[in-house]
Amino acid sequence: SGYAGCKLPLSDNDFMVLVTPLAQQTGEAARQTAINQFAQSNCISMAQLMMLSTFLTLEINRSAFMKANFMKVYDLGNYSSAAQVFTSANYKTDWTTIADVADPTKSNPYLMNQAEFIAYRSQVRAIAVNPPITPATFPTVPTEQWSA
């Protein structure tokens, strides 16, 4: 739904047939290269991009893959659902701080409270860089507020 980054995504059946060999690649680096090439060469849906990202074990690699390829997916309007591929709150909130996600000319729906996520990440970073002597109250992750 919303803006489209490509004309028509692969059918789910075609996608599953084509990605089976990618999942069998040995090693994180080989899988990352293979899925990047696949995403760059095919029109895929956000759900398919999310599935490809799960071929990667490390969230840092998953994040890099998603960021590099999300603007090419068919259904950019399903952007918010992609945070599900991350288990760490840091990666989930990082996903919501990508510049295009809050730009109504590039994303529909768009994130209306991106500034809250940027502030949250800044607070977490401050604790990580300068740990307090006494236990600090950890900042609360903001709730996503998407345009209608």
Side-chain angles (χ1 to χ4, degrees), residues 12 30 41 44 70 73-74 95 97 99 108 131:
D12 287 338
S41 302
I44 58 177
F70 85 92
V73 301
Y74 173 73
W95 183 247
T97 60
N108 186 16

Side-chain angles (χ1 to χ4, degrees), residues 3 14 33 49 55 77-78 126 129 137 142 148:
Y3 295 116
D14 290 352
T33 299
L49 182 73
F55 292 178
N78 290 324
V129 172
T137 302

